[in-house]
Amino acid sequence: MESMQDKIVNFYLNYQVPLLTLSLIGLYAYIWWAYENFKSILQIVKALLSPYFLPNENKSLSEKYGKWAVITGSTDGIGKQYAIGLAKQGLNVVLISRTESKLKEVANEIESMYSVKTKYIAADFGSGKEIYEEIKQKLQMLDIGILVNNVGRMYDFPDDLDNVPEDLLWQIININVGAVTMMSRMVIPQMKVNRRGIIVNISSGSECQPTPLMTVYASTKAYVRNFSLALNKELEEHNVQVQLVTPLFVQTKMNNFSTYVMKGNILMPDVESYTKFAVFTLGKSSQTTGYWSHGLQYGAMRLCPEFIRTIISLSMNRGFREEYYAQQKILNNNNNSDIVAKISN
């Protein structure tokens, strides 16, 4: 006859041990899920606290990486604010963008504010392969420690793939994929020799899921994500870092199709506020949303399965498209009224 002690042991082995194992597996999965989806917030907290616990790591960016920083897409928005933020920390900056007049204006603005050197290179990244040799020649004598791959091209407004002009699609691919790849490849050899340097790649929250009506743009940002995380591991042994920055909605001209986004709120910061946080994380984390409220949004988004996020993206972009059409209708009506008024006069 089975004793009470044997019954207890058998019950524990038959039920409690499997339940405990499942609980441990669930705890393990939850911890890693929480880390993956909220690590941007954790890394911002780490960056804030590191000067108190790791004072030896609290060096200036020029001490850590070198005297020169290169920023692409640097005449507007996030790129311009990165250039200003890095100059504020004492780095000389090379501005690369398409329009020479804007480059001169930003260079003069930076030099009037800070005691740093500036250089600029006018280059249209949308034109493809031929621009890179000239850029390489102009950069080869500089001690480049930081590269910010910010230049990007988005749809003019969310739309179906077959409605997007072919030339625009090539621009998006050449700029969003080509520039981040070839500019990184250009600076890596010197960084390896110097055993220091950091490449900052600006991605987008659209990397997180398939994004209908911004299909090509979102796909290029998924490339930027995988490229950055893989390259960071590839360069680790050379003491060269790659930081992936994943902003969500920021008030920049890239989002001009939506008056709602451009009005801004705590979840959609102005470009100065966003970039101030993003520059602060430079060298302190390998992957970040760049802004505290974006970190919370990113984690909340990832609570949903991918197919739900895709449906939400489609619905949101349909709303943005309708908003854009409404804006254009108002503008067209205003223009027609102006023409009628001129004819009447």
Side-chain angles (χ1 to χ4, degrees):
M1 185 176 180
E2 189 176 31
S3 66
M4 182 58 70
Q5 183 178 359
D6 290 337
K7 289 180 179 180
I8 292 172
V9 170
N10 288 333
F11 176 82
Y12 184 80
L13 292 174
N14 290 333
Y15 296 100
Q16 295 301 314
V17 170
L19 285 174
L20 178 61
T21 302
L22 288 173
S23 297
L24 291 173
I25 292 172
L27 179 62
Y28 174 84
Y30 174 78
I31 289 171
W32 280 109
W33 170 86
Y35 172 75
E36 281 294 320
N37 295 312
F38 290 98
K39 64 183 174 184
S40 179
I41 291 293
L42 295 174
Q43 290 179 340
I44 288 173
V45 172
K46 176 187 171 186
L48 289 167
L49 295 178
S50 62
Y52 301 101
F53 297 97
L54 298 168
N56 291 334
E57 294 295 317
N58 195 29
K59 298 178 181 177
S60 70
L61 293 177
S62 58
E63 288 175 318
K64 288 177 72 172
Y65 300 117
K67 296 179 180 180
W68 284 90
V70 176
I71 306 97
T72 65
S74 49
T75 53
D76 292 291
I78 290 174
K80 178 181 177 181
Q81 293 305 315
Y82 255 97
I84 291 172
L86 293 174
K88 185 177 180 180
Q89 297 200 35
L91 281 103
N92 304 318
V93 293
V94 181
L95 311 170
I96 307 180
S97 216
R98 183 176 57 182
T99 308
E100 187 169 358
S101 60
K102 287 185 176 182
L103 285 164
K104 288 180 179 179
E105 183 180 328
V106 176
N108 291 335
E109 182 181 345
I110 289 173
E111 289 188 356
S112 70
M113 292 190 293
Y114 307 109
S115 299
V116 298
K117 298 176 183 177
T118 65
K119 294 180 180 292
Y120 62 83
I121 302 170
D124 181 2
F125 287 101
S127 61
K129 180 180 177 180
E130 61 268 18
I131 66 168
Y132 292 100
E133 187 58 36
E134 181 183 354
I135 295 173
K136 184 177 180 180
Q137 293 298 322
K138 291 182 177 180
L139 294 181
Q140 65 181 354
M141 300 305 293
L142 301 177
D143 178 20
I144 298 165
I146 299 174
L147 167 65
V148 181
N149 281 313
N150 166 75
V151 67
R153 183 69 164 94
M154 224 269 278
Y155 288 23
D156 295 329
F157 62 95
D159 207 356
D160 297 287
L161 177 63
D162 54 315
N163 290 335
V164 182
E166 186 175 329
D167 286 346
L168 176 55
L169 292 176
W170 277 115
Q171 284 180 27
I172 291 170
I173 293 168
N174 285 336
I175 294 171
N176 297 2
V177 174
V180 72
T181 306
M182 301 313 296
M183 289 301 299
S184 297
R185 186 178 186 274
M186 192 181 298
V187 302
I188 283 172
Q190 184 188 54
M191 289 182 174
K192 281 183 175 180
V193 170
N194 294 338
R195 291 198 58 80
R196 57 171 168 75
I198 185 166
I199 298 168
V200 180
N201 293 331
I202 309 297
S203 183
S204 160
S206 62
E207 72 181 32
C208 302
Q209 67 283 314
T211 306
L213 303 185
M214 288 187 184
T215 303
V216 177
Y217 173 78
S219 298
T220 63
K221 292 304 182 178
Y223 172 88
V224 173
R225 178 185 185 276
N226 289 338
F227 173 81
S228 302
L229 297 179
L231 190 60
N232 185 50
K233 283 296 178 186
E234 187 176 314
L235 297 175
E236 204 170 48
E237 64 182 288
H238 302 284
N239 198 39
V240 177
Q241 300 167 273
V242 180
Q243 184 190 43
L244 172 66
V245 180
T246 306
L248 279 73
F249 283 117
V250 180
Q251 296 170 54
T252 68
K253 70 176 187 179
M254 190 175 280
N255 296 316
N256 273 341
F257 56 80
S258 171
T259 55
Y260 174 73
V261 173
M262 295 306 290
K263 285 178 182 176
N265 54 47
I266 196 170
L267 301 179
M268 302 173 187
D270 61 84
V271 70
E272 292 85 359
S273 300
Y274 174 82
T275 312
K276 182 179 179 181
F277 263 91
V279 171
F280 174 76
T281 68
L282 202 154
K284 300 180 176 73
S285 63
S286 60
Q287 187 176 0
T288 179
T289 58
Y291 195 74
W292 67 271
S293 68
H294 285 191
L296 294 174
Q297 289 177 77
Y298 187 94
M301 285 165 51
R302 301 281 291 195
L303 284 169
C304 299
E306 186 181 81
F307 79 93
I308 293 178
R309 299 200 305 274
T310 303
I311 292 170
I312 292 171
S313 296
L314 175 60
S315 176
M316 184 173 65
N317 283 333
R318 280 175 173 164
F320 285 144
R321 181 165 62 180
E322 291 305 312
E323 184 184 2
Y324 174 81
Y325 286 153
Q327 287 178 32
Q328 293 303 114
K329 186 175 181 180
I330 292 170
L331 288 172
N332 289 336
N333 288 340
N334 290 340
N335 290 336
N336 290 336
S337 297
D338 290 342
I339 292 171
V340 170
K342 287 178 180 179
I343 293 173
S344 300
N345 292 333

